[in-house]
């Protein structure tokens, strides 16, 4: 059976409250799906002092890809917490994924709340 990992991805912030809220949303989405959903930011959040995040560091997308590769994950599924398809979703995430030499791991990015048309 192929191993997948689901990521709820936001843009990222230097504000601890944003990361804590992303974690709460990820937990709720995970409950609804019956799956573990990992809170991940595109950028920035990893710079927040861990002490302000209940002692757990924030994870950015590049780190999540590297960890998934190390864990033998076959597919990353991104649930974008974005209103529309920004370049962070359409260009940056695929570029970071490709640069991480993810091997045979597949990247699936689900649609944003508001589509391109």
């Amino acid at each position: 059976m192929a191993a997948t990992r689901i990521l709820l991805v936001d843009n990222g912030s230097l504000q601890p409250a944003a990361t804590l809220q992303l974690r709460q949303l990820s937990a709720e989405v995970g409950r609804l799906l019956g799956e573990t959903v990992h809170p991940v930011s595109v950028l920035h959040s990893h710079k927040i002092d861990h002490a302000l995040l209940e002692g757990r560091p924030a994870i950015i997308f590049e780190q999540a890809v590297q960890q998934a590769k190390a864990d033998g994950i076959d597919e990353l599924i991104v649930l974008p917490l974005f209103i529309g398809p920004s370049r962070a979703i359409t260009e940056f995430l695929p570029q970071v994924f490709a640069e991480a030499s993810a091997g045979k791991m597949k990247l699936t990015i689900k649609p944003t709340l508001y589509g391109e048309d």
Side-chain angles (χ1 to χ4, degrees), residues 34-51:
E35 303 271 345
T36 299
V37 175
H38 300 264
V40 174
S41 294
V42 174
L43 289 169
H44 312 299
S45 300
H46 66 299
K47 298 174 187 172
I48 300 170
D49 183 350
H50 307 164

Side-chain angles (χ1 to χ4, degrees), residues 1-3 10 16-18 21-22 27 35 41-42 50 59 62 66 68 71-72 74-75 80-81 88 92 98 100 102:
M1 183 167 124
D10 72 357
Q21 182 65 40
L22 177 63
E35 303 271 345
S41 294
V42 174
H50 307 164
I59 304 298
E62 181 179 8
Q66 292 168 349
D71 293 344
D74 297 308
E75 179 181 18
L81 193 55
F92 185 76

Side-chain angles (χ1 to χ4, degrees), residues 32-91:
L32 292 171
L33 295 176
E35 303 271 345
T36 299
V37 175
H38 300 264
V40 174
S41 294
V42 174
L43 289 169
H44 312 299
S45 300
H46 66 299
K47 298 174 187 172
I48 300 170
D49 183 350
H50 307 164
L52 300 173
L53 298 174
E54 301 168 345
R56 296 184 348 228
I59 304 298
I60 60 170
F61 186 70
E62 181 179 8
Q63 295 167 320
V65 172
Q66 292 168 349
Q67 187 62 55
K69 181 179 176 183
D71 293 344
I73 298 298
D74 297 308
E75 179 181 18
L76 282 179
I77 299 173
V78 170
L79 304 177
L81 193 55
F82 286 71
I83 293 174
S86 73
R87 289 190 329 188
I89 296 296
T90 62
E91 296 176 20

Side-chain angles (χ1 to χ4, degrees), residues 5-41:
R5 181 166 289 163
I6 302 171
L7 311 176
L8 181 63
V9 178
D10 72 357
N11 193 54
S13 172
L14 295 175
Q15 299 299 315
T19 296
L20 295 172
Q21 182 65 40
L22 177 63
R23 289 176 180 176
Q24 290 176 347
L25 286 170
S26 292
E28 184 60 29
V29 171
R31 280 191 287 279
L32 292 171
L33 295 176
E35 303 271 345
T36 299
V37 175
H38 300 264
V40 174
S41 294

